[in-house]
């Protein structure tokens, strides 16, 4: 028997055990001076909160050698941008020196940076891609 209101737990064939840790004698009076409330326990269950992961911005850096069309292709291929968004980001990189491709968790951002750098190197372009904490 489990009665949380009075804090008593009785296992079959054994004497009751109170939530406060004491033992109640068989046939004892649970309603003593304080009305049986001394053995009352409140059980709370806290729900663990998961911490949100840190986010990182993936940035493309401007250079004077990588063709604009190649940058658009990189944005479409690795960041799933449509032609219009890719062109807008490429022009922002060209005019301001740096542009944001997306915001990701650490592992995904790191993978994107590596993929872009390897792809640029494979095609003999000096395009630089970096990540920074958001």
């Amino acid at each position: 028997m489990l009665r949380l209101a009075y804090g008593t737990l009785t296992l079959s064939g054994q004497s009751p055990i109170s939530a406060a840790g004491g033992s109640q004698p068989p046939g004892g009076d649970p309603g003593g001076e304080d009305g049986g409330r001394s053995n009352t326990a409140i059980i709370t269950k806290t729900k663990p909160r998961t911490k949100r992961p840190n986010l990182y911005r993936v940035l493309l850096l401007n250079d004077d050698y990588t063709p604009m069309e190649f940058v658009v292709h990189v944005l479409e291929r690795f960041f799933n941008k449509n032609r219009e968004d890719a062109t807008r980001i490429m022009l922002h990189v060209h005019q301001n020196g740096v542009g944001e491709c997306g915001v990701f968790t650490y592992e995904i951002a790191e993978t994107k940076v590596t993929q872009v750098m390897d792809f640029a190197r494979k095609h003999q372009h000096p395009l630089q891609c970096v990540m920074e904490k958001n």
Side-chain angles (χ1 to χ4, degrees):
M1 165 175 53
L2 177 63
R3 291 192 295 180
L4 295 178
Y6 297 106
T8 305
L9 172 65
T10 305
L11 302 174
S12 62
Q14 297 181 355
S15 59
I17 303 169
S18 72
S23 178
Q24 192 177 46
D29 181 20
E33 286 180 17
D34 59 357
R37 294 186 191 142
S38 66
N39 292 337
T40 303
I42 298 173
I43 298 174
T44 59
K45 186 174 183 181
T46 57
K47 185 177 179 184
R49 302 198 97 205
T50 21
K51 183 182 172 202
R52 296 194 64 102
N54 292 327
L55 296 177
Y56 292 80
R57 298 169 61 204
V58 176
L59 307 171
L60 282 179
L61 306 179
N62 189 39
D63 64 73
D64 294 333
Y65 304 102
T66 305
M68 292 180 179
E69 192 56 40
F70 182 77
V71 176
V72 170
H73 178 67
V74 164
L75 290 164
E76 290 173 335
R77 179 172 177 168
F78 297 106
F79 298 98
N80 300 318
K81 302 292 182 186
N82 59 37
R83 182 64 118 187
E84 184 180 314
D85 288 343
T87 302
R88 183 181 48 77
I89 294 169
M90 176 273 299
L91 288 173
H92 187 271
V93 171
H94 182 70
Q95 294 166 353
N96 300 306
V98 64
E100 183 179 289
C101 305
V103 179
F104 308 96
T105 59
Y106 181 82
E107 291 81 8
I108 294 173
E110 186 178 44
T111 301
K112 299 266 187 200
V113 168
T114 302
Q115 289 174 331
V116 169
M117 295 294 289
D118 290 346
F119 189 71
R121 215 175 294 123
K122 178 182 173 185
H123 290 86
Q124 300 177 348
H125 294 298
L127 181 64
Q128 293 294 302
C129 186
V130 296
M131 61 188 244
E132 69 177 26
K133 197 168 188 175
N134 196 9

